Amino acid sequence: MISYIKGTVVKKGLDYIVIDNNDMGYFVNTSLSSLNKLCEGEKATILTYMHIREDVLALYGFLTSDEIELFKKLISVNGIGPKAGLSVLSTYETNTVKEIILKEDVTRMSKVPGIGKKTASKVILELRDKVGAIDGIVSDTEGTGIFQAECESSDILSALVGLGFNSYEAKKVLDKIDVEGKSENEIIKEALKNINRQV
């Protein structure tokens, strides 16, 4: 297996590069994100994944370990091949893909060319516990919902718990509130209304 290639980028295509290493040119499929950071004539180190099938031998490469690891996770999902994985990473930046998965945003994932809602749901279901956390976002694996960091760090949750609600239902309700531009009191009032509706 080829783990990485260090050399000079001699050509850039729409979704690939050709990189020269010791007078040998390697054709490497890559994402739009990595492609935009590369320039012809410049040296680069490309982290690679070799895809081998009966009739196919192809290299996929990325500039960061974060991107290639996410690529490997994407193609581990049944029905997602390297082309579809590359399409995801060409549509969204790495952190955006993680955010979409953690927020279980099927609509945004299904906007990727070649991925429908059924496949998008499958990707999210299989990877939500595997992509890791990013600042301000946690996975909904325990039914607690996605809870914004600015709310978590405030006294809002503590206030609701102090009013007799358990943290589970409080977090679930807060997740559905658009907190931007609202004071803590306004958020608490809206949360109380929403909790009372559920009772």
Side-chain angles (χ1 to χ4, degrees):
M1 298 293 288
I2 301 173
S3 296
Y4 68 89
I5 301 171
K6 185 182 290 186
T8 303
V9 178
V10 295
K11 185 178 180 182
K12 284 176 60 175
L14 292 175
D15 56 2
Y16 71 89
I17 60 166
V18 176
I19 186 167
D20 178 87
N21 173 274
N22 291 328
D23 297 325
M24 184 175 288
Y26 293 87
F27 184 100
V28 184
N29 300 280
T30 190
S31 68
L32 193 58
S33 177
S34 287
L35 195 64
N36 286 338
K37 296 168 187 169
L38 294 165
C39 295
E40 290 184 3
E42 290 188 358
K43 292 188 179 296
T45 299
I46 307 297
L47 304 174
T48 57
Y49 170 84
M50 184 180 287
H51 178 63
I52 303 172
R53 220 174 53 195
E54 290 179 8
D55 55 342
V56 175
L57 178 61
L59 274 176
Y60 292 82
F62 307 91
L63 278 173
T64 67
S65 57
D66 203 27
E67 193 171 21
I68 194 168
E69 289 307 315
L70 184 54
F71 174 76
K72 289 176 183 177
K73 287 182 174 74
L74 286 165
I75 64 174
S76 72
V77 178
N78 189 29
I80 298 290
K83 286 185 178 179
L86 204 62
S87 185
V88 172
L89 293 171
S90 289
T91 304
Y92 300 112
E93 291 286 338
T94 306
N95 272 347
T96 304
V97 176
K98 290 182 181 182
E99 179 184 342
I100 288 169
I101 292 170
L102 290 170
K103 286 187 173 180
E104 301 183 17
D105 194 338
V106 175
T107 301
R108 288 177 75 192
M109 182 61 77
S110 61
K111 287 181 180 178
V112 175
I115 293 185
K117 285 196 172 182
K118 187 176 180 181
T119 304
S121 297
K122 192 173 185 180
V123 169
I124 288 168
L125 180 64
E126 292 193 25
L127 297 186
R128 64 185 180 183
D129 298 331
K130 299 177 182 177
V131 297
I134 58 177
D135 291 344
I137 301 172
V138 292
S139 175
D140 191 19
T141 54
E142 296 180 0
T144 55
I146 308 305
F147 188 57
Q148 291 109 324
E150 56 264 34
C151 285
E152 192 110 61
S153 61
S154 71
D155 296 327
I156 298 172
L157 182 60
S158 298
L160 291 173
V161 172
L163 288 170
F165 302 101
N166 64 49
S167 59
Y168 167 79
E169 62 186 358
K171 283 184 180 180
K172 196 169 184 180
V173 168
L174 285 170
D175 179 44
K176 297 175 182 177
I177 297 174
D178 181 7
V179 300
E180 192 171 346
K182 293 177 182 174
S183 68
E184 289 189 3
N185 284 336
E186 288 173 330
I187 296 168
I188 290 170
K189 284 179 183 178
E190 189 170 341
L192 288 172
K193 286 179 184 177
N194 291 342
I195 288 174
N196 288 333
R197 287 195 198 109
Q198 295 178 17
V199 175

